[in-house]
Amino acid sequence: MDILLSEAQIQERVRQLGRRIEAEYHGRPLTIVAVLTGSLVFLADLIRQIGLPLRVALLQASSYKGAVSTAGPLLLNEAFVPDVAGRDVLLLDDILDTGHTLSALVRQMTERGARSVRTVVLLRKLGRQEVHLEPDYCGFTIPDAFVVGYGLDYADDYRHLPYVAILPGSHPPPGAGG
Ligand code: XMP
């Protein structure tokens, strides 16, 4: 597989993101809400670079896809939804693709009374966004290819790779990712 982002590149960028987040929240306690499952590795590395009091919550979100690839409404597993009322929430995801997942979650967190909602993504795919959402913190902008590793999967494989690679000759499988 072609390595797109090496382990060293990712680690350095995650360190920078952590520094920025720490500086911009000025010691305010933070609630990081991560979207399962692809964001787990990024979450684990990023929180260790943020010297602030913080809580971590995990969300399971999925969208029913139509026959083509139009995303349906976002389904949230209520059992996972944290209490965010009055809190500064930082939504964390592995990759911003069409933008539907994160923009729906920003709305949800706001409706649930979060004091502020910002977003952080490791990756942002060029030319794929369907919904306007400017991530507050972004690791890397990448070309429109299906990527795996560092938490991202193909049929639940490859999540453990310490780098991000392009899956050769593949189009995203239906319902892939998460
Ligand atoms: P949207 O389109 O709502 O979705 O921004 C973001 C989610 O789509 C999945 N996704 C990928 N997963 N390799 C993956 O393993 C990819 O190249 C890829 N592109 C999108 C992922 O679950 C992400 O959270």
Coordinates of all heavy atoms in Angstrom, one line a residue, residues 96-172:
L96 N -13.1 14.1 7.6 CA -14.3 14.9 7.1 C -14.4 14.5 5.6 O -13.5 14.8 4.8 CB -14.0 16.4 7.3 CG -15.1 17.3 6.9 CD1 -16.3 17.2 7.9 CD2 -14.6 18.7 6.7
D97 N -15.5 13.9 5.3 CA -15.7 13.5 3.9 C -16.8 14.3 3.3 O -16.5 15.4 2.9 CB -16.0 12.0 3.9 CG -16.1 11.3 2.5 OD1 -15.5 11.9 1.6 OD2 -16.7 10.3 2.4
T98 N -18.0 13.9 3.3 CA -19.1 14.7 2.8 C -19.4 15.8 3.8 O -20.0 16.9 3.5 CB -20.4 13.9 2.6 OG1 -20.8 13.4 3.8 CG2 -20.1 12.8 1.6
G99 N -19.1 15.6 5.1 CA -19.4 16.6 6.2 C -20.8 16.3 6.9 O -21.1 17.0 7.8
H100 N -21.5 15.4 6.4 CA -22.9 15.1 7.0 C -22.8 14.7 8.4 O -23.5 15.2 9.3 CB -23.6 14.1 6.2 CG -24.1 14.6 4.8 ND1 -25.2 15.4 4.7 CD2 -23.7 14.4 3.6 CE1 -25.4 15.7 3.4 NE2 -24.5 15.1 2.7
T101 N -21.9 13.8 8.7 CA -21.8 13.3 10.1 C -21.5 14.4 11.1 O -22.2 14.7 12.1 CB -20.7 12.3 10.2 OG1 -20.9 11.2 9.2 CG2 -20.6 11.6 11.6
L102 N -20.4 15.2 10.8 CA -20.0 16.2 11.8 C -21.0 17.4 11.9 O -21.3 17.8 13.0 CB -18.6 16.8 11.5 CG -17.5 16.1 12.2 CD1 -16.2 16.8 11.9 CD2 -17.7 15.9 13.7
S103 N -21.6 17.8 10.8 CA -22.5 18.9 10.8 C -23.8 18.5 11.6 O -24.3 19.3 12.4 CB -22.8 19.5 9.5 OG -23.4 18.6 8.7
A104 N -24.2 17.2 11.4 CA -25.4 16.8 12.2 C -25.1 16.7 13.7 O -25.9 17.1 14.6 CB -25.9 15.4 11.7
L105 N -23.8 16.3 14.0 CA -23.4 16.2 15.4 C -23.3 17.6 16.1 O -23.6 17.8 17.2 CB -22.2 15.4 15.6 CG -22.4 13.9 15.3 CD1 -21.0 13.2 15.3 CD2 -23.3 13.3 16.3
V106 N -22.8 18.6 15.3 CA -22.7 19.9 15.8 C -24.1 20.4 16.2 O -24.3 20.9 17.3 CB -22.0 20.9 14.8 CG1 -22.2 22.3 15.2 CG2 -20.6 20.5 14.6
R107 N -25.0 20.2 15.3 CA -26.4 20.6 15.6 C -26.9 19.9 16.9 O -27.5 20.5 17.8 CB -27.4 20.2 14.5 CG -27.6 21.3 13.5 CD -28.8 21.0 12.6 NE -28.9 19.7 12.1 CZ -28.2 19.4 10.9 NH1 -27.5 20.3 10.3 NH2 -28.3 18.1 10.5
Q108 N -26.7 18.6 17.0 CA -27.1 17.8 18.1 C -26.5 18.3 19.5 O -27.2 18.4 20.4 CB -26.7 16.3 18.0 CG -27.4 15.6 16.9 CD -28.5 14.7 17.4 OE1 -28.7 14.7 18.6 NE2 -29.2 14.1 16.5
M109 N -25.2 18.6 19.4 CA -24.6 19.0 20.7 C -25.1 20.4 21.1 O -25.3 20.7 22.3 CB -23.1 19.1 20.5 CG -22.4 17.8 20.2 SD -22.6 16.6 21.6 CE -23.5 15.3 20.8
T110 N -25.4 21.3 20.1 CA -25.9 22.6 20.4 C -27.3 22.5 21.0 O -27.6 23.1 22.0 CB -25.9 23.4 19.1 OG1 -24.6 23.4 18.5 CG2 -26.3 24.9 19.3
E111 N -28.1 21.6 20.3 CA -29.5 21.4 20.9 C -29.5 20.8 22.3 O -30.4 21.1 23.1 CB -30.3 20.4 19.9 CG -30.8 21.1 18.7 CD -31.2 20.1 17.6 OE1 -31.4 18.9 18.0 OE2 -31.3 20.4 16.5
R112 N -28.5 20.1 22.6 CA -28.4 19.5 23.9 C -27.7 20.4 24.9 O -27.4 20.0 26.0 CB -27.6 18.2 23.9 CG -28.5 17.1 23.2 CD -27.6 15.9 22.8 NE -28.4 15.0 21.9 CZ -29.0 13.9 22.3 NH1 -28.8 13.4 23.5 NH2 -29.7 13.2 21.4
G113 N -27.5 21.7 24.5 CA -27.2 22.7 25.5 C -25.7 22.9 25.7 O -25.3 23.5 26.7
A114 N -24.9 22.4 24.8 CA -23.4 22.7 25.0 C -23.1 24.2 25.0 O -23.8 25.0 24.3 CB -22.6 22.0 23.8
R115 N -22.2 24.6 25.8 CA -21.8 26.0 25.8 C -21.1 26.5 24.5 O -21.4 27.6 24.0 CB -20.9 26.3 27.0 CG -20.6 27.7 27.2 CD -20.0 27.9 28.6 NE -18.6 27.9 28.5 CZ -17.8 28.6 29.3 NH1 -18.3 29.4 30.2 NH2 -16.5 28.6 29.2
S116 N -20.3 25.6 24.0 CA -19.7 25.9 22.7 C -19.4 24.6 22.1 O -19.3 23.5 22.7 CB -18.3 26.7 22.9 OG -17.4 25.8 23.5
V117 N -19.4 24.6 20.7 CA -19.1 23.3 20.0 C -18.0 23.6 18.9 O -18.2 24.5 18.1 CB -20.3 22.7 19.3 CG1 -20.0 21.4 18.7 CG2 -21.5 22.6 20.3
R118 N -16.9 23.0 19.0 CA -15.9 23.1 17.9 C -15.6 21.7 17.4 O -16.0 20.7 18.0 CB -14.6 23.7 18.5 CG -14.7 25.2 18.8 CD -13.3 25.7 19.1 NE -13.4 27.1 19.5 CZ -12.4 27.8 20.0 NH1 -11.2 27.2 20.0 NH2 -12.5 29.0 20.4
T119 N -14.9 21.6 16.3 CA -14.6 20.3 15.6 C -13.1 20.1 15.4 O -12.4 21.1 15.0 CB -15.4 20.2 14.3 OG1 -15.1 21.3 13.5 CG2 -16.9 20.2 14.5
V120 N -12.7 18.9 15.5 CA -11.3 18.6 15.1 C -11.4 17.3 14.3 O -12.0 16.3 14.7 CB -10.4 18.4 16.4 CG1 -10.9 17.5 17.4 CG2 -9.0 18.1 15.9
V121 N -10.7 17.3 13.2 CA -10.5 16.1 12.4 C -9.1 15.8 12.0 O -8.3 16.8 11.9 CB -11.4 16.2 11.0 CG1 -12.8 16.2 11.3 CG2 -10.9 17.4 10.2
L122 N -8.7 14.6 11.9 CA -7.3 14.3 11.5 C -7.2 14.6 10.0 O -6.2 15.2 9.6 CB -7.0 12.8 11.8 CG -5.6 12.5 11.3 CD1 -4.5 13.1 12.2 CD2 -5.4 11.0 11.2
L123 N -8.2 14.2 9.2 CA -8.1 14.3 7.8 C -9.3 15.0 7.2 O -10.4 14.9 7.7 CB -8.0 12.9 7.1 CG -7.0 11.9 7.7 CD1 -7.1 10.5 7.1 CD2 -5.6 12.4 7.4
R124 N -9.1 15.6 6.1 CA -10.2 16.3 5.4 C -9.9 15.9 3.9 O -8.9 16.2 3.3 CB -10.1 17.8 5.6 CG -11.2 18.5 4.8 CD -11.0 20.0 5.0 NE -12.2 20.7 4.7 CZ -12.4 22.0 4.9 NH1 -11.4 22.7 5.5 NH2 -13.5 22.6 4.5
K125 N -11.0 15.3 3.2 CA -10.8 14.9 1.9 C -11.1 16.0 0.9 O -12.2 16.7 1.1 CB -11.7 13.7 1.5 CG -11.0 12.4 1.6 CD -11.9 11.3 1.0 CE -11.6 10.0 1.7 NZ -12.4 8.9 1.2
L126 N -10.3 16.3 0.0 CA -10.5 17.4 -1.0 C -11.6 17.0 -1.9 O -11.7 15.9 -2.4 CB -9.2 17.5 -1.8 CG -8.2 18.6 -1.4 CD1 -7.1 18.6 -2.4 CD2 -8.9 20.0 -1.4
G127 N -12.5 18.0 -2.2 CA -13.5 17.9 -3.3 C -14.6 16.9 -2.9 O -15.3 16.5 -3.8
R128 N -14.8 16.6 -1.7 CA -15.9 15.7 -1.3 C -17.0 16.3 -0.5 O -18.1 15.7 -0.4 CB -15.3 14.5 -0.5 CG -14.4 13.6 -1.3 CD -15.1 12.5 -1.9 NE -16.0 11.8 -1.0 CZ -16.9 10.9 -1.4 NH1 -17.2 10.8 -2.6 NH2 -17.7 10.3 -0.5
Q129 N -16.8 17.5 0.0 CA -17.7 18.0 1.0 C -19.0 18.4 0.3 O -19.0 19.1 -0.7 CB -17.1 19.2 1.7 CG -17.1 19.0 3.2 CD -16.4 20.1 3.9 OE1 -15.2 20.3 3.8 NE2 -17.1 20.9 4.7
E130 N -20.1 18.0 0.9 CA -21.5 18.3 0.4 C -22.1 19.4 1.4 O -23.1 20.0 1.0 CB -22.3 17.1 0.4 CG -21.8 16.1 -0.7 CD -22.6 14.7 -0.6 OE1 -23.5 14.6 0.2 OE2 -22.2 13.8 -1.3
V131 N -21.7 19.4 2.6 CA -22.3 20.3 3.6 C -21.2 21.3 4.0 O -20.0 20.9 4.2 CB -22.7 19.5 4.8 CG1 -23.3 20.3 5.9 CG2 -23.7 18.4 4.4
H132 N -21.6 22.5 4.2 CA -20.6 23.5 4.6 C -20.2 23.3 6.0 O -21.1 23.4 6.9 CB -21.0 24.9 4.3 CG -20.0 25.9 4.8 ND1 -18.8 26.1 4.1 CD2 -20.0 26.7 5.9 CE1 -18.1 27.0 4.8 NE2 -18.8 27.4 5.9
L133 N -19.0 23.0 6.3 CA -18.5 22.9 7.7 C -17.0 23.1 7.6 O -16.3 22.4 6.9 CB -18.8 21.6 8.3 CG -18.4 21.5 9.8 CD1 -19.5 20.9 10.6 CD2 -17.2 20.6 9.9
E134 N -16.5 24.1 8.3 CA -15.1 24.4 8.4 C -14.6 23.9 9.7 O -15.0 24.4 10.7 CB -14.9 26.0 8.3 CG -13.6 26.4 7.7 CD -13.2 25.8 6.4 OE1 -14.1 25.7 5.5 OE2 -12.0 25.4 6.3
P135 N -13.8 22.8 9.7 CA -13.3 22.3 10.9 C -12.5 23.3 11.7 O -11.7 24.0 11.0 CB -12.5 21.0 10.6 CG -12.4 21.1 9.1 CD -13.3 22.0 8.5
D136 N -12.6 23.4 13.0 CA -11.8 24.3 13.7 C -10.3 23.9 13.7 O -9.4 24.7 13.8 CB -12.4 24.5 15.1 CG -13.8 25.1 15.1 OD1 -13.9 26.3 14.9 OD2 -14.7 24.3 15.2
Y137 N -10.1 22.6 13.8 CA -8.8 22.1 13.8 C -8.7 20.9 12.8 O -9.6 20.0 12.9 CB -8.4 21.5 15.2 CG -8.6 22.6 16.3 CD1 -9.8 22.5 17.1 CD2 -7.7 23.6 16.5 CE1 -10.0 23.5 18.1 CE2 -7.9 24.5 17.5 CZ -9.1 24.5 18.3 OH -9.3 25.4 19.3
C138 N -7.7 20.9 11.9 CA -7.6 19.8 10.9 C -6.1 19.4 10.8 O -5.3 20.3 10.7 CB -8.1 20.4 9.6 SG -7.9 19.2 8.2
G139 N -5.9 18.1 10.8 CA -4.5 17.6 10.7 C -4.0 17.8 9.3 O -3.0 18.5 9.1
F140 N -4.6 17.1 8.4 CA -4.1 17.1 7.0 C -5.3 17.1 6.0 O -6.3 16.5 6.2 CB -3.4 15.8 6.7 CG -2.2 15.5 7.6 CD1 -2.4 14.8 8.8 CD2 -1.0 16.0 7.3 CE1 -1.4 14.5 9.7 CE2 0.1 15.7 8.2 CZ -0.1 15.0 9.3
T141 N -5.1 17.8 4.9 CA -6.0 17.7 3.7 C -5.4 16.7 2.8 O -4.2 16.7 2.5 CB -6.1 19.1 3.0 OG1 -6.6 20.0 4.0 CG2 -7.0 19.0 1.8
I142 N -6.3 15.7 2.4 CA -5.8 14.6 1.5 C -6.6 14.5 0.2 O -7.7 15.0 0.2 CB -5.8 13.3 2.3 CG1 -7.3 12.9 2.7 CG2 -5.0 13.3 3.5 CD1 -7.5 11.5 3.0
P143 N -6.0 13.9 -0.8 CA -6.8 13.7 -2.0 C -7.9 12.8 -1.8 O -8.0 12.0 -0.8 CB -5.7 13.1 -3.0 CG -4.6 12.6 -2.2 CD -4.7 13.3 -0.9
D144 N -8.8 12.7 -2.8 CA -10.0 11.9 -2.7 C -9.7 10.4 -3.1 O -9.8 10.0 -4.2 CB -11.1 12.4 -3.7 CG -12.4 11.6 -3.7 OD1 -12.5 10.8 -2.8 OD2 -13.2 11.8 -4.5
A145 N -9.2 9.7 -2.0 CA -8.9 8.3 -2.2 C -9.4 7.6 -0.9 O -9.6 8.3 0.1 CB -7.4 8.1 -2.4
F146 N -9.6 6.3 -1.0 CA -10.1 5.6 0.2 C -8.8 5.3 1.1 O -7.9 4.6 0.6 CB -10.8 4.4 -0.1 CG -11.6 3.9 1.1 CD1 -12.8 4.4 1.5 CD2 -11.1 2.8 1.9 CE1 -13.5 4.0 2.6 CE2 -11.8 2.4 3.0 CZ -13.0 3.0 3.4
V147 N -8.8 5.8 2.3 CA -7.6 5.6 3.1 C -7.9 4.7 4.3 O -9.0 4.7 4.8 CB -7.0 7.0 3.6 CG1 -6.4 7.7 2.4 CG2 -8.0 7.8 4.3
V148 N -6.8 4.0 4.7 CA -6.9 3.1 5.9 C -5.7 3.4 6.8 O -4.7 4.0 6.4 CB -6.9 1.7 5.5 CG1 -8.2 1.3 4.7 CG2 -5.7 1.3 4.7
G149 N -5.8 2.9 8.0 CA -4.8 3.0 9.0 C -5.0 4.1 10.0 O -5.9 4.9 9.8
Y150 N -4.3 4.0 11.1 CA -4.4 5.0 12.2 C -5.9 5.2 12.6 O -6.4 6.3 12.7 CB -3.8 6.4 11.8 CG -3.5 7.3 12.9 CD1 -2.4 7.0 13.8 CD2 -4.3 8.4 13.2 CE1 -2.2 7.8 14.9 CE2 -4.0 9.2 14.3 CZ -3.0 8.9 15.1 OH -2.7 9.8 16.2
G151 N -6.5 4.0 12.7 CA -8.0 4.0 13.1 C -8.9 3.8 12.0 O -10.0 3.2 12.2
L152 N -8.5 4.2 10.8 CA -9.5 4.0 9.6 C -9.4 2.6 9.1 O -8.3 2.0 9.0 CB -9.1 5.0 8.5 CG -9.3 6.5 8.9 CD1 -8.1 7.3 8.7 CD2 -10.5 7.0 8.2
D153 N -10.5 2.1 8.7 CA -10.6 0.7 8.3 C -11.1 0.5 6.9 O -11.8 1.3 6.3 CB -11.6 0.0 9.2 CG -13.0 0.3 8.9 OD1 -13.4 1.5 8.9 OD2 -13.8 -0.6 8.7
Y154 N -10.9 -0.8 6.4 CA -11.6 -1.3 5.3 C -12.2 -2.6 5.8 O -11.4 -3.5 6.2 CB -10.7 -1.5 4.1 CG -11.3 -2.2 2.9 CD1 -12.1 -1.4 2.0 CD2 -11.3 -3.6 2.7 CE1 -12.7 -2.0 1.0 CE2 -11.9 -4.2 1.7 CZ -12.7 -3.4 0.8 OH -13.3 -4.0 -0.3
A155 N -13.5 -2.7 5.9 CA -14.2 -3.9 6.4 C -13.5 -4.3 7.7 O -13.3 -5.5 8.0 CB -14.1 -5.0 5.4
D156 N -13.3 -3.3 8.6 CA -12.7 -3.5 9.9 C -11.3 -4.0 10.0 O -10.8 -4.3 11.1 CB -13.6 -4.5 10.8 CG -14.6 -3.7 11.7 OD1 -14.2 -2.5 12.0 OD2 -15.6 -4.2 12.0
D157 N -10.6 -4.0 8.9 CA -9.2 -4.3 8.9 C -8.4 -3.0 8.8 O -8.9 -2.0 8.5 CB -8.8 -5.1 7.6 CG -9.0 -6.6 7.8 OD1 -8.9 -7.0 9.0 OD2 -9.2 -7.3 6.9
Y158 N -7.1 -3.1 9.2 CA -6.1 -2.1 9.0 C -6.1 -1.0 10.0 O -5.3 0.0 9.9 CB -6.2 -1.4 7.6 CG -6.1 -2.4 6.4 CD1 -7.2 -2.5 5.6 CD2 -5.0 -3.2 6.2 CE1 -7.2 -3.4 4.5 CE2 -5.0 -4.1 5.1 CZ -6.1 -4.2 4.3 OH -6.0 -5.0 3.2
R159 N -7.0 -1.0 11.0 CA -7.1 0.1 11.9 C -5.9 0.3 12.7 O -5.5 1.4 13.2 CB -8.3 -0.1 12.9 CG -9.7 0.0 12.4 CD -10.7 0.1 13.5 NE -12.0 -0.3 13.1 CZ -12.9 0.5 12.5 NH1 -12.5 1.8 12.2 NH2 -14.1 0.1 12.2
H160 N -5.1 -0.8 12.9 CA -4.0 -0.8 13.8 C -2.7 -0.2 13.2 O -1.7 0.0 13.8 CB -3.7 -2.2 14.3 CG -3.3 -3.1 13.2 ND1 -4.2 -3.5 12.2 CD2 -2.2 -3.7 12.9 CE1 -3.6 -4.3 11.3 NE2 -2.4 -4.4 11.7
L161 N -2.7 0.0 11.9 CA -1.5 0.5 11.2 C -1.2 1.9 11.8 O -2.0 2.7 12.0 CB -1.7 0.7 9.7 CG -2.1 -0.6 9.0 CD1 -2.4 -0.4 7.5 CD2 -1.0 -1.7 9.1
P162 N 0.1 2.2 12.1 CA 0.5 3.4 12.7 C 0.6 4.6 11.7 O 0.8 5.7 12.1 CB 1.9 3.1 13.3 CG 2.4 2.0 12.5 CD 1.2 1.2 12.0
Y163 N 0.3 4.3 10.4 CA 0.4 5.3 9.3 C -0.9 5.3 8.6 O -1.8 4.4 8.8 CB 1.6 5.0 8.4 CG 1.6 3.6 7.9 CD1 0.8 3.2 6.8 CD2 2.5 2.7 8.5 CE1 0.8 1.9 6.4 CE2 2.5 1.3 8.1 CZ 1.7 0.9 7.0 OH 1.7 -0.4 6.6
V164 N -1.1 6.3 7.7 CA -2.3 6.3 6.8 C -1.9 5.9 5.4 O -0.9 6.5 4.9 CB -3.0 7.7 6.9 CG1 -4.0 7.8 5.8 CG2 -3.6 8.0 8.2
A165 N -2.6 5.0 4.8 CA -2.2 4.5 3.5 C -3.4 4.5 2.6 O -4.6 4.5 3.0 CB -1.6 3.1 3.6
I166 N -3.1 4.6 1.3 CA -4.2 4.5 0.3 C -4.5 3.1 -0.1 O -3.5 2.3 -0.4 CB -3.8 5.3 -1.0 CG1 -3.7 6.8 -0.6 CG2 -4.9 5.2 -2.1 CD1 -3.3 7.7 -1.8
L167 N -5.7 2.7 0.1 CA -6.1 1.3 -0.3 C -6.0 1.2 -1.8 O -6.7 1.9 -2.5 CB -7.5 1.0 0.2 CG -7.9 -0.5 0.4 CD1 -7.0 -1.2 1.4 CD2 -9.3 -0.6 0.7
P168 N -5.2 0.3 -2.3 CA -5.0 0.2 -3.8 C -6.3 -0.2 -4.5 O -7.0 -1.1 -4.1 CB -3.9 -0.8 -4.0 CG -3.7 -1.5 -2.7 CD -4.4 -0.7 -1.6
G169 N -6.5 0.5 -5.6 CA -7.6 0.1 -6.6 C -9.0 0.0 -6.0 O -9.8 -0.8 -6.5
S170 N -9.2 0.6 -4.9 CA -10.5 0.3 -4.3 C -11.4 1.5 -4.3 O -10.9 2.7 -4.1 CB -10.4 -0.1 -2.8 OG -10.2 1.0 -2.0
H171 N -12.7 1.3 -4.5 CA -13.7 2.3 -4.3 C -14.2 2.0 -2.9 O -14.3 0.9 -2.5 CB -14.7 2.2 -5.3 CG -14.2 2.7 -6.7 ND1 -13.9 4.0 -6.9 CD2 -13.9 2.0 -7.8 CE1 -13.4 4.0 -8.2 NE2 -13.5 2.8 -8.7
P172 N -14.7 3.0 -2.2 CA -15.2 2.8 -0.9 C -16.3 1.7 -0.9 O -17.2 1.8 -1.8 CB -15.8 4.1 -0.5 CG -15.2 5.1 -1.3 CD -14.7 4.4 -2.6

